[in-house]
Amino acid sequence: MTIHNTLLATLFACSVAPLALAQTATPQPGDPQRWYQEDSTAQAQLRTLRKEITAALAEAKKACRSEPSATRATCLKDAQDTYRQDMANAEKLRVAAHPQQ
């Protein structure tokens, strides 16, 4: 699996996880209540999605650092390209994750 596919899978999982979590998870002792509340507006969903895209980039960069030096630069470039593409398509990703809004 390439780093690009990994990023896309991570991003998709992150974008739908809050919805699933808000509907099915039982708060655990010590967890902030906000973890279990779905974003109620499109603006809040988009803000959360952008945070998740940024977090996915940080995870991808961390994964790239463990790659051999010969492929590290390409890995980092691919991660940055995916970040830019995801940010440019953030609204489409939001609508895909929250089709009812």
Side-chain angles (χ1 to χ4, degrees):
M1 180 180 254
T2 66
I3 193 72
H4 178 62
N5 290 342
T6 302
L7 282 173
L8 289 177
T10 301
L11 178 61
F12 180 74
C14 289
S15 66
V16 297
L19 177 61
L21 191 62
Q23 293 176 352
T24 62
T26 303
Q28 300 298 308
D31 286 351
Q33 187 60 35
R34 69 180 182 277
W35 289 359
Y36 302 95
Q37 296 173 348
E38 182 180 359
D39 291 330
S40 59
T41 66
Q43 184 178 14
Q45 292 166 357
L46 195 56
R47 185 173 40 252
T48 299
L49 181 58
R50 286 184 176 136
K51 287 180 186 178
E52 291 169 349
I53 292 169
T54 301
L57 174 62
E59 288 182 26
K61 285 182 174 182
K62 184 177 179 181
C64 290
R65 288 186 196 106
S66 66
E67 293 216 2
S69 60
T71 59
R72 192 174 303 137
T74 302
C75 180
L76 289 168
K77 181 188 177 308
D78 290 346
Q80 192 66 41
D81 290 347
T82 300
Y83 169 81
R84 284 190 202 107
Q85 182 180 7
D86 289 346
M87 282 298 207
N89 295 315
E91 179 59 25
K92 289 179 185 177
L93 292 168
R94 185 201 67 78
V95 169
H98 304 278
Q100 71 280 5
Q101 293 182 342

